[in-house]
Amino acid sequence: MEQATYKQIKALKRFAKNPELSQGLLKGIEFDSLSKQDATALIQKCIDQANGTSESNESEDQEGFQVKYSQNYRNGDGSFKTIILTDEELAEIRDAHKKHCIDIMSDCMDDFPDDRELQLAMFDKMADKSFTWIQQALDEKVRMTRGNGNGSQHQ
C-alpha cells in the first residue's frame, strides 16, 4: 500500500480547517495513515462538498448510485479546478447522441436492406460511442470555463 503524498496530506489538512468538513467528512480520519488512493478519493469528496455538489448526495442515496461525469483541469492561475456535467447537459448530450445513432442506423438499413447482421456490424463500426461525446462536452466546458475558446493552454 502506497502512502499518501505530502501534497495530499497538506491538501486534506487545509480542508480540515473548514468546520463543516472537519466535523463531517473528515471527522476522526488519521491523515498520516491514509493510502494514496484513499487520500485521492477523500480529496475529491471534499472538493465536491466544497463546490456544493454533495447537496444532491442525499437524494442520490435514496434513488441509488448515480454517475457524475467530471474533469479536473489547471486554471489560469495554476490552481486545479473540477468541472462536472449537470444532469441537463448530460441529457442534451445523450439526446444528440441518440439522434446520431438513429441516423447511422437508418443509413445502414438503407445500404444493406436484406442483411440485419451486416447492418448491426456496420452500425457498430460507424457510430460514435456515447463516452466520446461526453468527453468532448467535458473538454468544451473546460475551454469555456477557462475563457479561451481555442483550447490551447501553455504551461
Side-chain angles (χ1 to χ4, degrees):
M1 175 176 82
E2 192 175 352
Q3 289 293 84
T5 65
Y6 170 76
K7 287 183 178 183
Q8 287 176 316
I9 293 172
K10 188 175 175 181
L12 287 168
K13 286 181 178 178
R14 268 193 243 126
F15 281 122
K17 291 178 182 177
N18 178 330
E20 184 179 321
L21 291 173
S22 66
Q23 294 301 313
L25 188 61
L26 299 175
K27 187 174 185 176
I29 293 181
E30 302 268 338
F31 298 135
D32 296 329
S33 63
L34 286 174
S35 72
K36 194 171 186 177
Q37 292 81 12
D38 291 341
T40 300
L42 194 55
I43 289 170
Q44 186 59 51
K45 287 179 184 178
C46 289
I47 290 169
D48 290 346
Q49 188 166 344
N51 288 339
T53 57
S54 65
E55 294 171 358
S56 62
N57 286 347
E58 293 173 10
S59 63
E60 289 174 12
D61 291 342
Q62 294 169 358
E63 296 172 11
F65 180 74
Q66 199 172 26
V67 174
K68 294 287 183 188
Y69 293 94
S70 65
Q71 183 168 315
N72 296 328
Y73 66 96
R74 188 177 296 268
N75 203 11
D77 63 2
S79 64
F80 280 97
K81 300 276 185 172
T82 302
I83 54 112
I84 299 172
L85 290 178
T86 64
D87 291 339
E88 293 80 22
E89 290 168 327
L90 196 55
E92 283 179 32
I93 294 164
R94 289 193 170 141
D95 188 48
H97 180 257
K98 179 180 175 182
K99 290 175 183 169
H100 162 77
C101 288
I102 290 170
D103 289 344
I104 297 291
M105 190 62 193
S106 177
D107 289 346
C108 290
M109 291 169 68
D110 291 344
D111 293 345
F112 311 103
D114 298 328
D115 192 344
R116 186 67 169 169
E117 192 172 310
L118 186 55
Q119 290 171 359
L120 294 174
M122 291 304 294
F123 172 82
D124 187 49
K125 295 293 181 186
M126 295 171 64
D128 296 332
K129 303 299 181 210
S130 62
F131 185 76
T132 302
W133 287 54
I134 292 169
Q135 187 60 54
Q136 288 174 345
L138 286 167
D139 292 342
E140 181 64 22
K141 192 168 181 178
V142 166
R143 280 191 292 278
M144 298 308 287
T145 302
R146 282 184 181 147
N148 70 351
N150 64 9
S152 67
Q153 179 77 10
H154 299 287
Q155 298 178 7

